[in-house]
Amino acid sequence: MAALAGTGAITAAVPDPGASVALSRIERGQYEIKVVGSEAPGRSVCIADAAMLLQMQHPGAACTRLVMADSPDSTTVNYTCSSGGHGRTVVTITTPRSFDIDTQGIASGAPFDLNYQGRRVGPCPARSTASR
């Protein structure tokens, strides 16, 4: 981790969460992501960049991220969104084709505390080239 010294202030350079050791272990492809304990069907998501898993309640929002911990099996990230809201997400890798997500924070002015399970169900459809 690099540090820059200026006029007495020190700023730590935090690695891009997309380069997370844990997230890099997740295979690209089509995943079914379900809320743990819910009877509702899971949602189908094409994962081309696993960093999308860090903001499940703030998809597509411009957020700053701070990596709190990163290992081959798990990453923990805190994030704050410029449009309002924030969260803390822990992604735990079970295998390269399955993972658990624990996320909590504030979205649309309301608190959330959710647990998801994801499992790979195949390749992304041919037209899917971005994270969805």
Side-chain angles (χ1 to χ4, degrees), residues 18-19 32 62 66 75 91 96 124 128:
E32 179 182 84
L66 177 62
T75 192
V91 179
C124 291
S128 295

Side-chain angles (χ1 to χ4, degrees), residues 25-80:
R25 292 189 51 219
I26 296 174
E27 287 185 22
R28 292 180 180 183
Q30 195 72 24
Y31 281 76
E32 179 182 84
I33 299 179
K34 296 180 75 167
V35 175
V36 175
S38 173
E39 296 293 325
R43 61 180 162 168
S44 183
V45 178
C46 175
I47 297 178
D49 179 2
M52 69 175 288
L53 301 172
L54 298 173
Q55 297 173 206
M56 295 292 289
Q57 296 305 112
H58 300 92
C63 305
T64 58
R65 298 177 184 158
L66 177 62
V67 177
M68 305 304 291
D70 189 34
S71 72
D73 298 324
S74 179
T75 192
T76 302
V77 174
N78 288 354
Y79 65 90
T80 303

